[in-house]
Every structure is written in C-alpha cells, then in structure tokens.
Amino acid sequence: MKLDLRNSISFVKVDIIPSQIPGHTEVLLCYELNPGQSCSIEPEQNQLLGKLIFTGMNTCDALESPAVTLPAGLYLFARRRCESMQTGEEHWLDLAVEQQKDGLWQRCKPGNLLYVRHLHEDGAFVTQVFRPLAD
C-alpha cells in the first residue's frame, strides 16, 4: 500500500550489525538497493540488497549522538507481525520483494533505498518496510 508519512521518525545512529540488536528495541535499518534489481518485477532476492547505509535505535541515550531518520514523504509500505524480533534479512527480505512486485504492478516508481523498521507494538513484534516513491 502507499503511505504518506507526515513526520520524520528519528533514531540514534549505532554501529552494530542487525544480528546484534537487543530484543524489544525499536530499530531502523537503511539499505541501498541494487539498481539492476530494484526496478525488476521479478527481482533476484539474493541480489536485491546493496550495502547497509545505517542502523538506528530508538533510545533516550546520549542526546548528542548522531541522529538518522526515516524522512517524511510518500512510500510503498508493508508490514508483518512476528512472534519474536527478527532483524536478520532472511526474515523480512521476502516481504520487501513482494512489496516491490506489488508496487511495480500498480505502476509506482520506487526509489533505490529500503528502510526496515522493527518494533514492539500491541504486544507483538512488527516488521515494517518502506520504499520511497519517486515523483
């Protein structure tokens, strides 16, 4: 579905890899996407992700820490409820692939970034994926 995110969501930038993220912590991951795969209706799942640009955690620690954001704007959006915090890409990459297929089928023009947000909401873990939409 399309989502109009009206306000940015800020996180503290951390230098840890997704598998080291403590449970019950809200986290934002931002990836570059492979340009050759990011506009394909049948992307190769194992080739879609490029490098991890940043990892951010929602924490009260160190107000002077560098901030990273999920910027306000228009996005392709998908979400999945999980039994546990699953930050490894093997747990959510299929969701991003299906989001891309659906978006392209609807003639949307997704950008070359992928934001993945993990959080605990209403007693369950949730993974959300966001793809910025080009104008």
Side-chain angles (χ1 to χ4, degrees), residues 20-100:
Q20 296 174 335
I21 295 167
H24 294 285
T25 303
E26 184 176 347
V27 64
L28 179 69
L29 308 170
C30 180
Y31 288 88
E32 287 181 344
L33 296 177
N34 176 330
Q37 296 294 317
S38 66
C39 293
S40 171
I41 195 78
E42 291 293 333
E44 296 289 330
Q45 183 168 324
N46 62 344
Q47 296 180 19
L48 181 62
L49 290 183
K51 76 173 195 176
L52 176 64
I53 298 172
F54 66 77
T55 302
M57 290 175 49
N58 189 352
T59 178
C60 303
D61 297 342
L63 296 175
E64 296 177 16
S65 295
V68 292
T69 63
L70 175 60
L74 291 175
Y75 291 92
L76 286 177
F77 174 77
R79 64 183 267 135
R80 175 185 293 158
R81 294 175 74 83
C82 312
E83 299 248 341
S84 63
M85 182 72 82
Q86 300 177 336
T87 57
E89 62 193 52
E90 67 277 5
H91 296 290
W92 52 260
L93 191 53
D94 61 329
L95 182 62
V97 167
E98 289 305 313
Q99 175 195 53
Q100 176 170 311

